[in-house]
Amino acid sequence: MLCSRCHQFAAVPGGTLCSQCAAAPAPTARSAAVVPEAFLRSPVGLGRATAVLLGLVAVTDLFAIGADVFMYNVSGDLADGAVGDAVSRRADRADALYAAAGMAQTAAMLTCMVVFLCWFYRVRVNADVFEPNGHQKKRGWAIGGWFTPIVNLWFPRRITLDIWDASSRWGAPRSHGLVNTWWALWIISLLAERAGFSAYRRAHTAQELRSAVPQVLLADVTDMAAALLAILVVLRLTRMQHEKGLQGAVLQPVVV
């Protein structure tokens, strides 16, 4: 006979539950009342779209890195007292490249953020299907955790780890190293971006500008590295859920 709880696997001899449900904590009446029903939906399409847009973010960061280097060289020439039409043209070009890089980064980040959050919420709901009792944060935090000050420094990481564990194969949890490295780079890039923007905004002379640009460069480099690692996180987590769903390791109806 089938398991009376998940209706997916065969019950153990002489019992009504399968071995997996028997080992899992029994859901309480309170949790069943407050947790909305979860349905498994394929994360593959959203995962691929998110990975592509993260790649676009990395490309705009690379463009910004080139603009940073050019700005650093031009500001160095100005700080050393270089004058003339050639220097003025290079300075104008540096300003134009810098502004274009900033707009490209903003557009890519905003577009990626929308798709990423759609993907992140979907894998969070899927994780409820795989392991309804293995999450420290409610589903709403999968979106709100990114925008709430202070807690956005660790809530998304905690939610990602819970999704990661729930999406791993039964009895074979995967290492958190990739997620932790990605999150560390993401936090460093946020701090570096704030420091670099503040230094750049306060710069009024060529020498001050030359001193501020390396901080902006650090922010762009770490942001690009975080975007590349995020691609790996998205693709791997998407594959984990896809494979687990195909194995039939679900506790709720499947919606493809």
Side-chain angles (χ1 to χ4, degrees), residues 23-83:
T28 63
R30 179 178 180 276
S31 64
V34 300
V35 177
E37 187 177 11
F39 294 89
L40 188 68
R41 301 181 65 189
S42 173
V44 174
L46 279 174
R48 290 173 178 170
T50 303
V52 169
L53 290 174
L54 284 168
L56 180 61
V57 169
V59 169
T60 60
D61 286 335
L62 184 61
F63 175 40
I65 290 170
D68 295 338
V69 173
F70 190 68
M71 177 68 78
Y72 182 78
N73 292 333
V74 172
S75 61
D77 292 341
L78 294 174
D80 292 338
V83 294

Short mmCIF file of all heavy atoms in Angstrom, two decimals, residues 23-83:
data_model
loop_
_atom_site.label_atom_id
_atom_site.label_comp_id
_atom_site.label_asym_id
_atom_site.label_seq_id
_atom_site.Cartn_x
_atom_site.Cartn_y
_atom_site.Cartn_z
N ALA A 23 10.62 8.85 9.15
CA ALA A 23 11.79 9.49 9.74
C ALA A 23 11.61 10.98 9.91
O ALA A 23 12.25 11.60 10.76
CB ALA A 23 13.03 9.22 8.88
N ALA A 24 10.72 11.61 9.11
CA ALA A 24 10.51 13.06 9.18
C ALA A 24 9.58 13.39 10.33
O ALA A 24 8.72 12.60 10.70
CB ALA A 24 9.93 13.56 7.86
N PRO A 25 9.73 14.60 10.92
CA PRO A 25 8.82 15.01 12.00
C PRO A 25 7.39 15.10 11.49
O PRO A 25 7.15 15.53 10.36
CB PRO A 25 9.34 16.40 12.40
CG PRO A 25 10.74 16.45 11.88
CD PRO A 25 10.76 15.59 10.66
N ALA A 26 6.47 14.68 12.31
CA ALA A 26 5.06 14.72 11.92
C ALA A 26 4.58 16.16 11.89
O ALA A 26 4.86 16.93 12.80
CB ALA A 26 4.22 13.91 12.91
N PRO A 27 3.87 16.59 10.85
CA PRO A 27 3.36 17.96 10.78
C PRO A 27 2.30 18.19 11.86
O PRO A 27 1.47 17.32 12.13
CB PRO A 27 2.75 18.04 9.37
CG PRO A 27 2.43 16.62 9.00
CD PRO A 27 3.49 15.79 9.66
N THR A 28 2.36 19.34 12.50
CA THR A 28 1.40 19.68 13.55
C THR A 28 0.17 20.31 12.94
O THR A 28 0.18 20.80 11.82
CB THR A 28 2.03 20.67 14.56
OG1 THR A 28 2.34 21.89 13.86
CG2 THR A 28 3.32 20.09 15.13
N ALA A 29 -0.90 20.34 13.71
CA ALA A 29 -2.13 20.94 13.22
C ALA A 29 -1.95 22.42 12.96
O ALA A 29 -2.48 22.99 12.03
CB ALA A 29 -3.26 20.71 14.25
N ARG A 30 -1.14 23.09 13.81
CA ARG A 30 -0.92 24.53 13.65
C ARG A 30 -0.18 24.82 12.36
O ARG A 30 -0.54 25.72 11.60
CB ARG A 30 -0.13 25.07 14.84
CG ARG A 30 0.17 26.56 14.75
CD ARG A 30 0.90 27.05 15.97
NE ARG A 30 1.18 28.47 15.88
CZ ARG A 30 2.21 29.00 15.26
NH1 ARG A 30 3.07 28.21 14.65
NH2 ARG A 30 2.40 30.31 15.23
N SER A 31 0.89 24.05 12.08
CA SER A 31 1.66 24.30 10.87
C SER A 31 0.84 24.01 9.63
O SER A 31 0.94 24.68 8.62
CB SER A 31 2.94 23.46 10.86
OG SER A 31 2.62 22.07 10.81
N ALA A 32 -0.01 22.98 9.71
CA ALA A 32 -0.85 22.66 8.56
C ALA A 32 -1.85 23.76 8.29
O ALA A 32 -2.26 23.99 7.15
CB ALA A 32 -1.57 21.33 8.79
N ALA A 33 -2.24 24.51 9.34
CA ALA A 33 -3.25 25.54 9.17
C ALA A 33 -2.67 26.82 8.60
O ALA A 33 -3.35 27.56 7.91
CB ALA A 33 -3.93 25.82 10.52
N VAL A 34 -1.40 27.12 8.91
CA VAL A 34 -0.84 28.41 8.53
C VAL A 34 0.05 28.34 7.31
O VAL A 34 0.35 29.37 6.72
CB VAL A 34 -0.03 29.01 9.71
CG1 VAL A 34 -0.91 29.22 10.92
CG2 VAL A 34 1.16 28.11 10.07
N VAL A 35 0.49 27.16 6.90
CA VAL A 35 1.36 27.05 5.73
C VAL A 35 0.53 26.79 4.49
O VAL A 35 -0.19 25.79 4.43
CB VAL A 35 2.39 25.91 5.92
CG1 VAL A 35 3.24 25.77 4.66
CG2 VAL A 35 3.27 26.20 7.13
N PRO A 36 0.56 27.68 3.49
CA PRO A 36 -0.22 27.45 2.27
C PRO A 36 0.24 26.18 1.56
O PRO A 36 1.39 25.77 1.69
CB PRO A 36 0.08 28.70 1.42
CG PRO A 36 0.62 29.71 2.39
CD PRO A 36 1.31 28.92 3.46
N GLU A 37 -0.67 25.60 0.80
CA GLU A 37 -0.33 24.40 0.06
C GLU A 37 0.74 24.70 -0.98
O GLU A 37 0.70 25.74 -1.63
CB GLU A 37 -1.57 23.83 -0.61
CG GLU A 37 -1.35 22.48 -1.27
CD GLU A 37 -2.62 21.92 -1.86
OE1 GLU A 37 -3.62 22.67 -1.94
OE2 GLU A 37 -2.61 20.73 -2.23
N ALA A 38 1.71 23.81 -1.12
CA ALA A 38 2.80 24.00 -2.06
C ALA A 38 2.66 23.04 -3.23
O ALA A 38 2.26 21.89 -3.06
CB ALA A 38 4.15 23.78 -1.35
N PHE A 39 2.97 23.52 -4.41
CA PHE A 39 2.95 22.71 -5.62
C PHE A 39 4.31 22.79 -6.30
O PHE A 39 4.91 23.86 -6.38
CB PHE A 39 1.86 23.19 -6.58
CG PHE A 39 0.46 23.01 -6.07
CD1 PHE A 39 -0.14 24.01 -5.33
CD2 PHE A 39 -0.24 21.85 -6.33
CE1 PHE A 39 -1.43 23.85 -4.84
CE2 PHE A 39 -1.53 21.68 -5.85
CZ PHE A 39 -2.13 22.68 -5.11
N LEU A 40 4.78 21.67 -6.76
CA LEU A 40 6.06 21.64 -7.45
C LEU A 40 5.91 22.17 -8.87
O LEU A 40 5.07 21.71 -9.64
CB LEU A 40 6.59 20.20 -7.50
CG LEU A 40 8.02 20.04 -8.03
CD1 LEU A 40 9.01 20.64 -7.07
CD2 LEU A 40 8.32 18.56 -8.26
N ARG A 41 6.74 23.15 -9.21
CA ARG A 41 6.75 23.73 -10.55
C ARG A 41 8.19 23.75 -11.05
O ARG A 41 9.12 24.00 -10.27
CB ARG A 41 6.17 25.14 -10.56
CG ARG A 41 4.73 25.22 -10.07
CD ARG A 41 4.20 26.63 -10.13
NE ARG A 41 4.12 27.10 -11.51
CZ ARG A 41 3.85 28.36 -11.84
NH1 ARG A 41 3.67 29.27 -10.89
NH2 ARG A 41 3.78 28.72 -13.11
N SER A 42 8.37 23.51 -12.32
CA SER A 42 9.71 23.43 -12.88
C SER A 42 10.43 24.77 -12.77
O SER A 42 9.90 25.81 -13.19
CB SER A 42 9.65 23.01 -14.35
OG SER A 42 10.94 23.10 -14.94
N PRO A 43 11.65 24.79 -12.22
CA PRO A 43 12.43 26.02 -12.13
C PRO A 43 13.37 26.20 -13.31
O PRO A 43 14.15 27.16 -13.34
CB PRO A 43 13.22 25.81 -10.84
CG PRO A 43 13.51 24.34 -10.84
CD PRO A 43 12.31 23.68 -11.49
N VAL A 44 13.34 25.29 -14.28
CA VAL A 44 14.36 25.27 -15.33
C VAL A 44 14.33 26.53 -16.19
O VAL A 44 15.35 27.17 -16.42
CB VAL A 44 14.19 24.01 -16.21
CG1 VAL A 44 15.16 24.06 -17.39
CG2 VAL A 44 14.44 22.75 -15.38
N GLY A 45 13.14 26.91 -16.67
CA GLY A 45 13.04 28.08 -17.53
C GLY A 45 13.50 29.35 -16.83
O GLY A 45 14.31 30.12 -17.36
N LEU A 46 12.98 29.58 -15.63
CA LEU A 46 13.38 30.76 -14.86
C LEU A 46 14.85 30.70 -14.49
O LEU A 46 15.55 31.72 -14.47
CB LEU A 46 12.53 30.88 -13.60
CG LEU A 46 11.13 31.50 -13.78
CD1 LEU A 46 10.36 31.43 -12.47
CD2 LEU A 46 11.24 32.95 -14.25
N GLY A 47 15.35 29.50 -14.18
CA GLY A 47 16.76 29.36 -13.81
C GLY A 47 17.68 29.75 -14.96
O GLY A 47 18.68 30.45 -14.76
N ARG A 48 17.33 29.29 -16.16
CA ARG A 48 18.15 29.62 -17.32
C ARG A 48 18.10 31.12 -17.62
O ARG A 48 19.14 31.74 -17.93
CB ARG A 48 17.69 28.83 -18.53
CG ARG A 48 18.00 27.34 -18.44
CD ARG A 48 17.37 26.57 -19.59
NE ARG A 48 17.70 25.15 -19.52
CZ ARG A 48 17.14 24.21 -20.29
NH1 ARG A 48 16.22 24.57 -21.18
NH2 ARG A 48 17.50 22.95 -20.18
N ALA A 49 16.92 31.71 -17.53
CA ALA A 49 16.78 33.14 -17.78
C ALA A 49 17.57 33.94 -16.75
O ALA A 49 18.24 34.94 -17.08
CB ALA A 49 15.31 33.55 -17.74
N THR A 50 17.53 33.50 -15.49
CA THR A 50 18.28 34.19 -14.43
C THR A 50 19.77 34.09 -14.68
O THR A 50 20.51 35.07 -14.50
CB THR A 50 17.94 33.58 -13.07
OG1 THR A 50 16.53 33.67 -12.85
CG2 THR A 50 18.66 34.31 -11.95
N ALA A 51 20.24 32.92 -15.09
CA ALA A 51 21.67 32.74 -15.36
C ALA A 51 22.12 33.65 -16.50
O ALA A 51 23.21 34.25 -16.45
CB ALA A 51 21.96 31.28 -15.69
N VAL A 52 21.30 33.77 -17.54
CA VAL A 52 21.64 34.65 -18.67
C VAL A 52 21.74 36.10 -18.21
O VAL A 52 22.68 36.83 -18.57
CB VAL A 52 20.61 34.50 -19.80
CG1 VAL A 52 20.81 35.59 -20.86
CG2 VAL A 52 20.72 33.13 -20.44
N LEU A 53 20.78 36.55 -17.41
CA LEU A 53 20.78 37.93 -16.96
C LEU A 53 21.92 38.19 -15.97
O LEU A 53 22.49 39.29 -15.95
CB LEU A 53 19.44 38.26 -16.33
CG LEU A 53 18.27 38.34 -17.32
CD1 LEU A 53 16.95 38.52 -16.60
CD2 LEU A 53 18.50 39.48 -18.31
N LEU A 54 22.27 37.21 -15.16
CA LEU A 54 23.44 37.36 -14.30
C LEU A 54 24.70 37.48 -15.14
O LEU A 54 25.63 38.23 -14.80
CB LEU A 54 23.55 36.17 -13.35
CG LEU A 54 22.58 36.17 -12.17
CD1 LEU A 54 22.58 34.80 -11.48
CD2 LEU A 54 22.96 37.26 -11.16
N GLY A 55 24.75 36.75 -16.26
CA GLY A 55 25.87 36.90 -17.17
C GLY A 55 25.92 38.30 -17.75
O GLY A 55 27.01 38.88 -17.93
N LEU A 56 24.74 38.87 -18.04
CA LEU A 56 24.69 40.25 -18.54
C LEU A 56 25.20 41.22 -17.48
O LEU A 56 25.91 42.19 -17.80
CB LEU A 56 23.26 40.60 -18.93
CG LEU A 56 23.04 42.01 -19.48
CD1 LEU A 56 23.85 42.24 -20.74
CD2 LEU A 56 21.54 42.25 -19.74
N VAL A 57 24.86 40.98 -16.22
CA VAL A 57 25.37 41.82 -15.13
C VAL A 57 26.90 41.76 -15.10
O VAL A 57 27.58 42.78 -14.94
CB VAL A 57 24.77 41.37 -13.78
CG1 VAL A 57 25.49 42.06 -12.61
CG2 VAL A 57 23.29 41.68 -13.73
N ALA A 58 27.45 40.55 -15.24
CA ALA A 58 28.90 40.39 -15.23
C ALA A 58 29.54 41.13 -16.41
O ALA A 58 30.62 41.73 -16.26
CB ALA A 58 29.27 38.91 -15.28
N VAL A 59 28.89 41.12 -17.57
CA VAL A 59 29.42 41.83 -18.74
C VAL A 59 29.43 43.34 -18.50
O VAL A 59 30.41 44.03 -18.82
CB VAL A 59 28.58 41.49 -20.00
CG1 VAL A 59 28.96 42.41 -21.16
CG2 VAL A 59 28.81 40.04 -20.40
N THR A 60 28.35 43.87 -17.92
CA THR A 60 28.33 45.31 -17.63
C THR A 60 29.36 45.66 -16.56
O THR A 60 29.95 46.76 -16.60
CB THR A 60 26.93 45.75 -17.18
OG1 THR A 60 26.55 45.05 -15.99
CG2 THR A 60 25.90 45.50 -18.27
N ASP A 61 29.61 44.76 -15.62
CA ASP A 61 30.67 45.00 -14.63
C ASP A 61 32.03 45.05 -15.32
O ASP A 61 32.89 45.86 -14.95
CB ASP A 61 30.66 43.89 -13.57
CG ASP A 61 29.51 44.03 -12.60
OD1 ASP A 61 29.02 45.17 -12.42
OD2 ASP A 61 29.09 43.02 -12.02
N LEU A 62 32.24 44.16 -16.29
CA LEU A 62 33.50 44.17 -17.03
C LEU A 62 33.67 45.48 -17.79
O LEU A 62 34.77 46.05 -17.84
CB LEU A 62 33.53 42.98 -17.99
CG LEU A 62 34.83 42.77 -18.77
CD1 LEU A 62 36.01 42.53 -17.82
CD2 LEU A 62 34.69 41.60 -19.75
N PHE A 63 32.59 45.96 -18.39
CA PHE A 63 32.62 47.26 -19.06
C PHE A 63 32.97 48.36 -18.07
O PHE A 63 33.77 49.26 -18.37
CB PHE A 63 31.26 47.51 -19.71
CG PHE A 63 31.12 48.87 -20.35
CD1 PHE A 63 32.15 49.45 -21.06
CD2 PHE A 63 29.91 49.56 -20.24
CE1 PHE A 63 32.00 50.70 -21.66
CE2 PHE A 63 29.75 50.80 -20.83
CZ PHE A 63 30.81 51.37 -21.54
N ALA A 64 32.37 48.29 -16.87
CA ALA A 64 32.65 49.29 -15.84
C ALA A 64 34.09 49.23 -15.38
O ALA A 64 34.71 50.27 -15.09
CB ALA A 64 31.70 49.10 -14.66
N ILE A 65 34.65 48.03 -15.31
CA ILE A 65 36.05 47.89 -14.91
C ILE A 65 36.96 48.60 -15.92
O ILE A 65 37.91 49.30 -15.56
CB ILE A 65 36.43 46.41 -14.78
CG1 ILE A 65 35.73 45.80 -13.56
CG2 ILE A 65 37.93 46.23 -14.68
CD1 ILE A 65 35.84 44.30 -13.48
N GLY A 66 36.65 48.42 -17.22
CA GLY A 66 37.42 49.13 -18.24
C GLY A 66 37.29 50.64 -18.09
O GLY A 66 38.28 51.37 -18.24
N ALA A 67 36.07 51.12 -17.81
CA ALA A 67 35.86 52.55 -17.60
C ALA A 67 36.61 53.04 -16.36
O ALA A 67 37.15 54.16 -16.36
CB ALA A 67 34.37 52.85 -17.47
N ASP A 68 36.65 52.21 -15.32
CA ASP A 68 37.39 52.58 -14.10
C ASP A 68 38.88 52.76 -14.40
O ASP A 68 39.50 53.74 -13.95
CB ASP A 68 37.22 51.50 -13.03
CG ASP A 68 35.79 51.38 -12.54
OD1 ASP A 68 35.03 52.34 -12.69
OD2 ASP A 68 35.45 50.31 -12.01
N VAL A 69 39.44 51.82 -15.12
CA VAL A 69 40.87 51.88 -15.44
C VAL A 69 41.17 53.12 -16.28
O VAL A 69 42.16 53.83 -16.05
CB VAL A 69 41.32 50.60 -16.16
CG1 VAL A 69 42.77 50.74 -16.65
CG2 VAL A 69 41.18 49.39 -15.24
N PHE A 70 40.31 53.40 -17.26
CA PHE A 70 40.52 54.57 -18.11
C PHE A 70 40.41 55.85 -17.29
O PHE A 70 41.21 56.78 -17.45
CB PHE A 70 39.50 54.58 -19.25
CG PHE A 70 39.77 55.60 -20.31
CD1 PHE A 70 40.87 55.48 -21.14
CD2 PHE A 70 38.92 56.68 -20.47
CE1 PHE A 70 41.13 56.42 -22.12
CE2 PHE A 70 39.17 57.63 -21.44
CZ PHE A 70 40.27 57.51 -22.27
N MET A 71 39.42 55.91 -16.39
CA MET A 71 39.26 57.08 -15.53
C MET A 71 40.47 57.25 -14.61
O MET A 71 40.93 58.39 -14.36
CB MET A 71 37.98 56.95 -14.70
CG MET A 71 37.75 58.08 -13.70
SD MET A 71 37.41 59.66 -14.50
CE MET A 71 35.68 59.42 -14.96
N TYR A 72 40.98 56.15 -14.11
CA TYR A 72 42.15 56.20 -13.23
C TYR A 72 43.36 56.79 -13.97
O TYR A 72 44.08 57.64 -13.43
CB TYR A 72 42.47 54.81 -12.70
CG TYR A 72 43.63 54.76 -11.74
CD1 TYR A 72 43.48 55.14 -10.42
CD2 TYR A 72 44.89 54.32 -12.17
CE1 TYR A 72 44.56 55.10 -9.53
CE2 TYR A 72 45.96 54.28 -11.30
CZ TYR A 72 45.79 54.67 -9.98
OH TYR A 72 46.86 54.63 -9.11
N ASN A 73 43.57 56.36 -15.19
CA ASN A 73 44.70 56.86 -15.97
C ASN A 73 44.55 58.34 -16.30
O ASN A 73 45.51 59.12 -16.19
CB ASN A 73 44.86 56.05 -17.25
CG ASN A 73 45.29 54.62 -16.98
OD1 ASN A 73 45.94 54.34 -15.98
ND2 ASN A 73 44.92 53.71 -17.87
N VAL A 74 43.35 58.75 -16.71
CA VAL A 74 43.12 60.15 -17.06
C VAL A 74 43.24 61.04 -15.84
O VAL A 74 43.86 62.11 -15.90
CB VAL A 74 41.73 60.31 -17.72
CG1 VAL A 74 41.40 61.79 -17.92
CG2 VAL A 74 41.69 59.58 -19.05
N SER A 75 42.65 60.62 -14.71
CA SER A 75 42.75 61.44 -13.50
C SER A 75 44.19 61.53 -13.02
O SER A 75 44.60 62.56 -12.47
CB SER A 75 41.86 60.85 -12.39
OG SER A 75 42.26 59.54 -12.05
N GLY A 76 44.98 60.48 -13.26
CA GLY A 76 46.40 60.55 -12.93
C GLY A 76 47.13 61.58 -13.76
O GLY A 76 47.97 62.33 -13.25
N ASP A 77 46.81 61.63 -15.07
CA ASP A 77 47.43 62.64 -15.94
C ASP A 77 47.06 64.04 -15.48
O ASP A 77 47.92 64.95 -15.43
CB ASP A 77 46.98 62.43 -17.39
CG ASP A 77 47.53 61.14 -17.98
OD1 ASP A 77 48.52 60.62 -17.43
OD2 ASP A 77 46.97 60.66 -18.98
N LEU A 78 45.77 64.24 -15.14
CA LEU A 78 45.34 65.56 -14.69
C LEU A 78 45.99 65.93 -13.36
O LEU A 78 46.38 67.09 -13.14
CB LEU A 78 43.81 65.59 -14.55
CG LEU A 78 43.03 65.45 -15.85
CD1 LEU A 78 41.53 65.33 -15.56
CD2 LEU A 78 43.30 66.63 -16.78
N ALA A 79 46.11 64.93 -12.46
CA ALA A 79 46.75 65.21 -11.17
C ALA A 79 48.21 65.56 -11.34
O ALA A 79 48.78 66.33 -10.54
CB ALA A 79 46.60 64.00 -10.25
N ASP A 80 48.85 65.03 -12.39
CA ASP A 80 50.26 65.33 -12.65
C ASP A 80 50.46 66.64 -13.38
O ASP A 80 51.59 67.02 -13.71
CB ASP A 80 50.90 64.19 -13.45
CG ASP A 80 51.00 62.90 -12.64
OD1 ASP A 80 50.97 62.99 -11.40
OD2 ASP A 80 51.07 61.82 -13.26
N GLY A 81 49.36 67.33 -13.70
CA GLY A 81 49.46 68.64 -14.32
C GLY A 81 49.42 68.65 -15.84
O GLY A 81 49.72 69.67 -16.47
N ALA A 82 49.02 67.53 -16.46
CA ALA A 82 48.96 67.48 -17.92
C ALA A 82 47.85 68.40 -18.42
O ALA A 82 46.77 68.49 -17.83
CB ALA A 82 48.71 66.06 -18.40
N VAL A 83 48.10 69.12 -19.52
CA VAL A 83 47.14 70.03 -20.10
C VAL A 83 47.12 69.84 -21.61
O VAL A 83 47.97 69.15 -22.17
CB VAL A 83 47.48 71.50 -19.77
CG1 VAL A 83 47.36 71.77 -18.27
CG2 VAL A 83 48.89 71.85 -20.24
#
